[in-house]
Amino acid sequence: MNLLKTSLASCVLLLLASVAGQGGAAVSIEGINMPPNDGRLRIICFVAHPDDCELQAGGSAVLWAKRGHHVLFVSVTNGDIGHWREAGGPLAKRRREEVDKAHELLGIQGVVLDIHDGELLPTLENRRMLTRLIRQWAADVVIAHRPNDYHPDHRYTGVLVQDAAYMVTVPFFCPDVPALKKNPAFFYFPDRFQKPNPFQPDVVVAVDEVMEKKLDALAVMESQFYEGGANGSAELMPGEPAKQKARHQQVRDGFARRNQALADRFRTELGDWYPAGKAGAIKHAEAFELCEYGAQPDKAQLKKLFPFFD
Ligand SMILES: [Zn+2]
């Protein structure tokens, strides 16, 4: 009985301590400069690996950041098996350094959670962790993978974000961080998977004006792209400087083509967002699908969340 009383008392103390922290510590994110309450948009993107956000939203992130909005990229795993030659702590550290450099170039901030690559599960603990981050960032926009994607970490990141999409507003779920009064709008990144349903864009953003910057940011993630990541090999890395240069250019051209392919694939939808003359000339695009959970903005509200179309 005494033991029960003691443990109850320590629970109450813990709860009081965490409530007391809400004014400051509880709404901060370790290693991140929390933005001021300046009325600007707050965007948080969740992906499985350090490089996925930059590929999917690197251009839009620069467009938001250039307008003074606040962007946070979160990699839910540390990427520690994402290479053909190296793994473990040293690879996680290397990828962290690469992605930090990429964020510096994009003008945004990033978090890498310390979960092993290839081992992410949609647990209650992880649901709480993502819910806390969305609340702490006070997000207006949340973007993640769709839950049908080729990689288990991508799928479960999608599931975890869907699981948080209502819970962020529920005060007694994770009461250590205050619930959001307003549910953010949740979006998905594009993919090519058709079953059970294909990606359908609700917003398509032209990223031509920031494409070089995006390509510069992707280029610094050498472990993943120049060296080929988990499916790479030594053959990708020539010894001669001229061939190395050609390999760098090959990687850069490949990424440019990815965003060109999105512009071509969603050319009709680009016409919904840009004047006819401009839509046809857009070379590079990024696209986002609105999730049915969370806020359901109409087109005018979408233009406020993606303020790129004036
Ligand atoms: Zn990935």
Side-chain angles (χ1 to χ4, degrees):
M1 184 59 114
N2 276 344
L3 192 66
L4 182 66
K5 267 190 187 160
T6 313
S7 62
L8 274 176
S10 32
C11 281
V12 171
L13 278 178
L14 270 177
L15 186 65
L16 285 175
S18 60
V19 169
Q22 279 184 21
V27 289
S28 66
I29 300 172
E30 196 186 334
I32 296 299
N33 294 318
M34 297 306 281
N37 282 324
D38 56 5
R40 303 299 179 125
L41 294 168
R42 288 151 180 261
I43 298 95
I44 188 166
C45 300
F46 290 96
V47 289
H49 308 112
D51 70 353
D52 292 323
C53 272
E54 297 71 20
L55 274 169
Q56 293 277 26
S60 300
V62 178
L63 293 174
W64 270 308
K66 276 170 64 169
R67 288 160 175 79
H69 303 295
H70 308 293
V71 182
L72 186 67
F73 278 0
V74 181
S75 173
V76 181
T77 81
N78 61 18
D80 60 356
I81 58 164
H83 203 274
W84 51 273
R85 183 190 57 206
E86 56 203 68
L91 178 62
K93 182 170 176 284
R94 183 178 179 206
R95 295 190 67 179
R96 175 73 216 226
E97 287 164 3
E98 287 179 348
V99 86
D100 282 349
K101 262 190 245 164
H103 296 159
E104 211 177 300
L105 288 168
L106 298 172
I108 64 161
Q109 297 190 82
V111 169
V112 178
L113 300 179
D114 201 17
I115 294 174
H116 290 304
D117 188 342
E119 299 185 12
L120 180 67
L121 288 172
T123 61
L124 179 57
E125 184 195 6
N126 289 337
R127 184 193 300 169
R128 286 190 176 125
M129 190 150 55
L130 268 57
T131 298
R132 287 192 183 101
L133 282 166
I134 295 167
R135 289 178 179 175
Q136 287 161 332
W137 195 246
D140 301 290
V141 171
V142 183
I143 318 178
H145 304 288
R146 295 200 306 155
N148 46 314
D149 202 335
Y150 79 103
H151 194 298
D153 293 343
H154 288 213
R155 284 198 288 278
Y156 295 137
T157 301
V159 169
L160 283 163
V161 173
Q162 284 187 340
D163 288 352
Y166 168 65
M167 301 313 285
V168 292
T169 65
V170 175
F172 286 97
F173 183 69
C174 292
D176 55 318
V177 181
L180 297 180
K181 299 266 185 281
K182 201 173 116 235
N183 209 350
F186 290 74
F187 296 86
Y188 299 119
F189 293 122
D191 56 64
R192 306 280 320 185
F193 301 102
Q194 302 295 306
K195 299 172 186 175
N197 55 294
F199 173 90
Q200 293 176 301
D202 289 294
V203 183
V204 190
V205 177
V207 293
D208 291 339
E209 65 176 275
V210 293
M211 198 58 207
E212 287 304 305
K213 195 178 272 281
K214 174 174 178 174
L215 293 173
D216 290 345
L218 293 174
V220 300
M221 291 185 280
E222 291 213 330
S223 71
Q224 297 310 294
F225 304 134
Y226 182 79
E227 298 174 16
N231 298 134
S233 67
E235 285 87 75
L236 293 175
M237 300 156 61
E240 290 169 45
K243 285 188 179 164
Q244 286 173 353
K245 204 174 158 208
R247 168 77 185 137
H248 277 115
Q249 192 59 46
Q250 180 194 31
V251 169
R252 205 173 171 93
D253 293 346
F255 288 133
R257 275 198 301 276
R258 280 175 70 117
N259 289 103
Q260 286 158 10
L262 283 173
D264 290 337
R265 184 175 157 199
F266 301 130
R267 185 72 60 197
T268 310
E269 290 82 355
L270 278 168
D272 296 338
W273 294 93
Y274 295 93
K278 192 171 175 191
I282 290 167
K283 287 199 177 72
H284 306 88
E286 290 176 350
F288 307 94
E289 176 178 342
L290 182 64
C291 167
E292 290 178 290
Y293 319 136
Q296 297 297 292
D298 59 21
K299 191 164 183 184
Q301 290 164 327
L302 284 173
K303 282 186 173 177
K304 287 190 177 144
L305 296 175
F306 295 80
F308 314 136
F309 304 108
D310 295 329

